[in-house]
Amino acid sequence: MNISYDIFDLVDFPIVITDKDFIIIYKNHIACEYFGKLRKRSKITRYLSDYANNADFSVNSEAEFETGTLIKRALVFPEKEYCIFLFLSAVQFENYDSIVPYIKEKFAGSFSDFYFSAYKEYLSLQAMTDFEKAHVPERTYADLLELIRILADKPSFMQKEGADLAELIAYIAKHASNRFRALGLKVYLRPIDSEAYDFCRANICLTNFLFLVFRLIYTGFKFSSDGNVQISINYLHTNHADICVSVHTHLQKKDVSGKSYSALLKLLPEFSFEFDILEKCGIFELDTLSYELENSVLKLHLKVKCACGETLFVRSESLLQRKKRTAQAISAFICKTKKLLSKN
């Protein structure tokens, strides 16, 4: 069974995951870029210092590395069937003494539970008006505040920018239509109306947005009966953009045990780990993702709140820089999606 850990690519620090025997099974994109010597299927303990090799990694602990990494220490969080090695900068290590007791006390030592609890608090905060935010007690967002204290800068899910979603979806479809043909798959863009171009602008974290869009595309391909997916965007008068991936499918209502999008993910075992995390994040509770199944047509929806005027963030960079950065991000997600499709 192939399990996707790609959700850890959304964080801004290296993460390495091993199985219970400390064999490396996953590195997020930052770890791949900077920790080339920590090879998958190798045993992570071979890179540790003599002192660290005697450490007990069945409990939360620190690991000190002798070779293979630019950052020589990691915080180790054992989970049920795997072990998370979290590499923070030297500045962030100053907080280690407070991190471990906090996660032990609040989350029984599970870093992933802690991280995504903070994420869920952040999503809740973003849904409030300025007046509501001003009257929320600080203790309500204890996990989010603790996470901010741990990190030297804001985590990636807080780095938002204004984006023209209609233009972005058209750009995604253009790149995807060419790149999936080698697998015998096709992506079509449905005509985008002027209302979508005029009003579908939103503050998004580009990485998070693309992560969800390409999960919809992947899910569409998995349930498609002819290898074709159509992608569209429409403006909803609830001030939301609706990104929709639709496919013809052999899937029937009796095959899905529930009406929420999470019910579909349960049919994809490669997302079992990711499903648990998305659920903890509150993504399904916020109705961000949904689906419809009628007359052999499956429609997968991603709903994004629109922004305008002074509420729309503007990033200080040239149009050329933005296009280059966007193209690189799209290309990376296409590669990941193709890899998942070719494995399953």
Side-chain angles (χ1 to χ4, degrees):
M1 182 187 300
N2 295 300
I3 296 178
S4 169
Y5 295 98
D6 290 345
I7 199 163
F8 283 116
D9 277 342
L10 304 184
V11 300
D12 288 331
F13 46 83
I15 288 180
V16 175
I17 298 178
T18 74
D19 63 17
K20 59 184 179 182
D21 296 317
F22 305 112
I23 302 295
I24 297 173
I25 56 177
Y26 171 80
K27 300 190 295 183
N28 71 347
H29 73 291
I30 294 181
C32 287
E33 184 175 353
Y34 292 106
F35 297 173
K37 292 183 179 179
L38 294 184
R39 302 193 182 281
K40 288 184 180 178
R41 307 311 308 165
S42 66
K43 202 161 187 174
I44 200 168
T45 49
R46 66 182 287 195
Y47 305 103
L48 297 174
S49 66
D50 291 338
Y51 170 78
N53 258 314
N54 297 321
D56 179 8
F57 293 147
S58 64
V59 295
N60 294 336
S61 55
E62 286 186 35
E64 189 161 331
F65 286 79
E66 195 167 83
T67 61
T69 70
L70 295 175
I71 301 173
K72 296 303 181 184
R73 286 185 292 169
L75 189 60
V76 185
F77 289 93
E79 301 285 342
K80 291 179 181 177
E81 297 180 2
Y82 54 91
C83 205
I84 298 177
F85 287 76
L86 176 71
F87 294 84
L88 299 179
S89 70
V91 174
Q92 292 158 359
F93 260 89
E94 294 176 1
N95 295 305
Y96 266 29
D97 288 342
S98 62
I99 297 171
V100 174
Y102 185 85
I103 297 176
K104 278 184 177 179
E105 179 186 353
K106 303 291 185 181
F107 298 95
S110 172
F111 170 77
S112 56
D113 283 359
F114 161 63
Y115 184 88
F116 292 106
S117 174
Y119 186 26
K120 188 172 181 178
E121 287 180 359
Y122 172 74
L123 293 175
S124 175
L125 190 64
Q126 291 303 295
M128 293 184 179
T129 65
D130 290 339
F131 177 81
E132 288 172 327
K133 290 177 185 178
H135 292 81
V136 175
E138 184 174 295
R139 63 179 180 276
T140 306
Y141 296 99
D143 299 330
L144 178 60
L145 292 170
E146 191 67 23
L147 178 62
I148 293 171
R149 292 187 189 105
I150 291 171
L151 301 176
D153 201 351
K154 290 182 178 179
S156 61
F157 59 72
M158 294 184 189
Q159 298 172 353
K160 291 199 171 186
E161 60 185 282
D164 184 330
L165 298 185
E167 185 178 283
L168 185 52
I169 290 299
Y171 203 39
I172 290 170
K174 178 182 177 182
H175 282 260
S177 64
N178 296 323
R179 298 281 294 278
F180 285 110
R181 285 179 182 172
L183 298 178
L185 305 171
K186 296 179 181 179
V187 176
Y188 297 96
L189 176 68
R190 299 195 68 175
I192 300 174
D193 61 30
S194 59
E195 196 173 47
Y197 277 113
D198 289 341
F199 299 111
C200 289
R201 301 173 189 273
N203 298 318
I204 61 169
C205 168
L206 180 63
T207 306
N208 289 26
F209 178 79
L210 293 178
F211 178 86
L212 292 174
V213 169
F214 277 95
R215 280 299 184 256
L216 260 64
I217 291 173
Y218 175 87
T219 305
F221 277 137
K222 290 294 288 185
F223 292 120
S224 173
S225 58
D226 57 10
N228 298 327
V229 305
Q230 287 191 335
I231 187 168
S232 63
I233 180 169
N234 293 287
Y235 177 70
L236 306 178
H237 290 275
T238 57
N239 199 32
H240 285 81
D242 176 40
I243 293 105
C244 178
V245 169
S246 61
V247 299
H248 291 284
T249 184
H250 295 308
L251 190 68
Q252 298 180 28
K253 289 183 177 180
K254 65 180 179 63
D255 300 324
V256 189
S257 58
K259 296 183 178 180
S260 72
Y261 188 86
S262 60
L264 285 178
L265 284 189
K266 289 179 181 178
L267 299 178
L268 301 174
E270 63 271 29
F271 290 156
S272 58
F273 176 84
E274 184 177 295
F275 164 76
D276 184 47
I277 288 175
L278 288 172
E279 196 168 43
K280 289 173 183 174
C281 291
I283 291 293
F284 303 124
E285 293 174 16
L286 294 170
D287 198 28
T288 301
L289 300 172
S290 61
Y291 83 95
E292 301 172 73
L293 180 56
E294 292 291 342
N295 301 320
S296 299
V297 175
L298 175 65
K299 294 183 179 181
L300 311 170
H301 296 276
L302 168 62
K303 191 166 66 175
V304 181
K305 185 173 176 59
C306 297
C308 63
E310 66 277 5
T311 63
L312 189 68
F313 302 150
V314 179
R315 187 164 180 164
S316 180
E317 66 178 345
S318 69
L319 180 60
L320 182 62
Q321 287 176 315
R322 184 180 299 112
K323 283 187 174 181
K324 183 178 179 180
R325 180 168 56 85
T326 302
Q328 288 175 337
I330 290 172
S331 179
F333 276 100
I334 288 174
C335 288
K336 286 179 179 294
T337 306
K338 285 177 66 178
K339 188 175 180 180
L340 276 171
L341 288 165
S342 62
K343 283 183 178 180
N344 295 287

